[in-house]
Amino acid sequence: MAPKKAKRRQQAEGGSSNVFSMFEQSQIQEYKEAFTIIDQNRDGIISKDDLRDVLASMGQLNVKNEELEAMVKEASGPINFTVFLTMFGEKLKGADPEDVIVSAFKVLDPEGTGTIKKEFLEELLTTQCDRFSAEEMKNLWAAFPPDVAGNVDYKNICYVITHGEEKEE
């Protein structure tokens, strides 16, 4: 099985122009489901109107037209499923492997608990290098809420960064 994974990783790093070879079949199915949800009018193309409608369904009612145009312009042309998948592949291609990201977090976890204190992580993310805004921090805590003791499971964060979904417990 290892040679197949090595081949897939090589393709994901730019070794193949076939976007479907960059993902497992289960991932492609999940992206297809997401595409179908976003393509509100079911015409096979994600448009500004589709984005406006799906954002409204999630409670974001006052999205500016310029923001929607910027989202659509991220693609080189009309956003069909293949373009949609390619856009995700390009976004994920730059991410470090999970073990590299976990190793970076382990530097901040000398006891090896697999967690970091929320306050400590927030201080680092808002004061160092590419600083997180208050809105980005709010989104982070919404996606990865700390436990009752204020600890954040960084291994789960790393998994989601590299796989795009939470681990099944």
Side-chain angles (χ1 to χ4, degrees):
M1 191 76 142
K4 187 177 182 182
K5 281 193 176 232
K7 184 178 180 188
R8 178 165 282 124
R9 177 168 287 148
Q10 200 174 37
Q11 290 170 338
E13 292 169 357
S16 171
S17 61
N18 182 357
V19 69
F20 292 94
S21 68
M22 295 173 64
F23 299 101
E24 301 285 340
Q25 189 60 42
S26 62
Q27 290 175 303
I28 293 171
Q29 184 59 39
E30 288 174 6
Y31 285 123
K32 184 66 174 171
E33 289 171 20
F35 180 86
T36 301
I37 291 168
I38 297 168
D39 182 19
Q40 294 278 295
N41 63 6
R42 305 289 186 260
D43 67 352
I45 303 289
I46 295 175
S47 65
K48 285 190 309 185
D49 290 333
D50 290 326
L51 291 173
R52 184 183 323 281
D53 292 345
V54 79
L55 289 169
S57 74
M58 296 186 315
Q60 291 190 329
L61 302 174
N62 298 321
V63 182
K64 294 180 181 146
N65 211 31
E66 297 82 38
E67 292 175 277
L68 296 170
E69 285 177 16
M71 289 180 205
V72 172
K73 283 184 181 174
E74 284 190 42
S76 56
I79 306 172
N80 61 23
F81 180 65
T82 304
V83 172
F84 181 78
L85 199 59
T86 301
M87 291 171 74
F88 274 96
E90 289 170 355
K91 296 279 185 194
L92 294 173
K93 189 163 53 171
D96 288 319
E98 184 177 2
D99 62 326
V100 172
I101 300 170
V102 169
S103 294
F105 273 106
K106 281 183 178 177
V107 171
L108 307 172
D109 178 25
E111 290 84 35
T113 62
T115 63
I116 300 175
K117 286 289 185 192
K118 174 190 178 212
E119 294 78 19
F120 178 59
L121 185 57
E122 187 163 339
E123 181 182 341
L124 285 174
L125 294 174
T126 58
T127 62
Q128 305 296 314
C129 298
D130 191 10
R131 297 180 178 116
F132 276 41
S133 68
E135 180 73 17
E136 289 170 321
M137 290 309 306
K138 183 177 136 199
N139 292 340
L140 176 66
W141 301 138
F144 305 102
D147 65 18
V148 292
N151 297 309
V152 179
D153 176 3
Y154 65 80
K155 290 181 180 179
N156 186 42
I157 294 172
C158 296
Y159 184 88
V160 172
I161 288 171
T162 56
H163 295 85
E165 58 195 52
E166 285 195 56
K167 281 185 183 178
E168 304 269 331
E169 295 294 325

